[in-house]
Amino acid sequence: MNGFKLPRNKQEIEESYGSILAPFAVKFPCESSREYEELEREIENRGSFQRDRDRIIHSKAFRRLMYKTQVFVNHEGDHFRTRLTHTLEVAQLARGICKSLALNEDLAEAIAYGHDLGHTPFGHAVERYLDTVMQKENILINGKPARFYHNEQSVRVVDLLESRNTEYKGLNLTYEVREGILKHNKDSSGIYNKLKPNKPCSSLEGQIVGLVDTVAYLCHDLQDGIQSGLIEDAEHTNRDFREGMKEVKDIIANILKVNTNKIDFTRYSDTYFIDDLIHSLIMNITVKSVENLIRNGIKTQEDIKAAADRGETIIAFHDFESKAFDRLRKLIYNNVYGLHTIETMDRKAESVVKELFERFRDNEKLLPPDILDKYLHLNLVPGYDGLPLSKEQVIIDYISCMTDRFALEEYERLRNPHIKI
């Protein structure tokens, strides 16, 4: 067929794709990359990282992202980002950089799809609450109190909470995907030692997902804040907020090299400058990363691993954009995420989850049957190097997996005598 052998099998697909990738890209998983050995199907039309991506997409945890808050609670409006749309945007940005740098798009996509699977309902407010709960428990990791970090919980989801057969727990993803998920941010309590949690990601694909995740959520959360009208309203009534957002405009204008009057924060703004900002930041990362590859003499994937072992990352901004982006992040955290409406919803969410946790802890029979079974029969998984299983952890796993709407329904079910059980 015009010189092509069709259909191609897994090995042929990986070899063909690997031949067009840069020598420092991750072409294949490392040896013994999966925790459990798997028999290869006689016919398989996907590479290893494609299979990981598909396992994530078909998981319940991925589907639940549709009803988990990014910043604005799902029922506040149909056009605000959710945890799922954010995940898709991260994957799209990561694939663009990978294509430009001749890196493995399939690996980056799988990491991106899995990076937020461990996020709680209602966003970071509930993550912070569950973190305080974990620190109060008598669980020590390397002599320090256990923590709840969503990146670590994401690995827990794919390693333990999801399943694809009866032979083992988890999705049995490759080392490379699991490492990228864990290291998409720097939060670490010291668990998952096999993944070297205190070192940068040993793949450029994973480093890219980590950086574009921040680009995506900052820019899009700002866009959602503008289009909601909350930023415009706060600018009219809060002097400090107005000054902070003026600096945000100045930073964006400087990055885009335009006049500040092109940066419009009114509720009816078309916000096209956000698209320009993302494009500018993505191209800056791409160009600077190439410069870093050349300056560091990176020739192979082993060179990337060696740099990571030294604590060095290759994927980065230029100095000017790095400083501007760091300042932009602080301003958005302090101002946009501190808006009255968002803060009010965060406190409500914390109150809902606090009551759920305390009721389940005080009376485990309120847990649904499958979760109660886990609570009463703590089955430890041999070789698992995440958080040790405890009764409190079972409750935390259950709550963190909830969507916003299910958490509210569960809250009402336990409190409201008029709700049908």
Side-chain angles (χ1 to χ4, degrees), residues 309-326:
D309 284 340
R310 296 192 300 269
E312 300 171 6
T313 56
I314 302 300
I315 305 301
F317 289 113
H318 282 103
D319 286 345
F320 171 79
E321 283 76 10
S322 178
K323 291 174 183 175
F325 188 73
D326 284 346

Side-chain angles (χ1 to χ4, degrees), residues 17 37 112 269 277 398:
Y17 186 40
E37 186 177 352
S269 164
L277 176 62
Y398 177 49

Side-chain angles (χ1 to χ4, degrees), residues 13-14 16-22 24-28 47-54 56-57 87-114 174 176-177 203-209 212:
I13 289 169
E14 289 190 329
S16 175
Y17 186 40
S19 69
I20 65 171
L21 298 180
F24 40 76
V26 179
K27 298 182 180 182
F28 319 103
S48 297
F49 299 132
Q50 290 176 299
R51 291 167 65 203
D52 281 3
R53 174 203 63 199
D54 294 347
I56 292 169
I57 288 175
T87 293
L88 297 176
E89 287 162 346
V90 171
Q92 173 251 321
L93 295 176
R95 286 191 66 128
I97 297 179
C98 284
K99 187 177 287 291
S100 184
L101 298 184
L103 298 173
N104 196 319
E105 295 178 54
D106 295 334
L107 172 56
E109 187 176 37
I111 294 169
Y113 284 166
T174 56
E176 292 79 4
V177 172
S203 72
L204 294 181
E205 292 86 350
Q207 292 182 25
I208 287 169
V209 171
V212 301

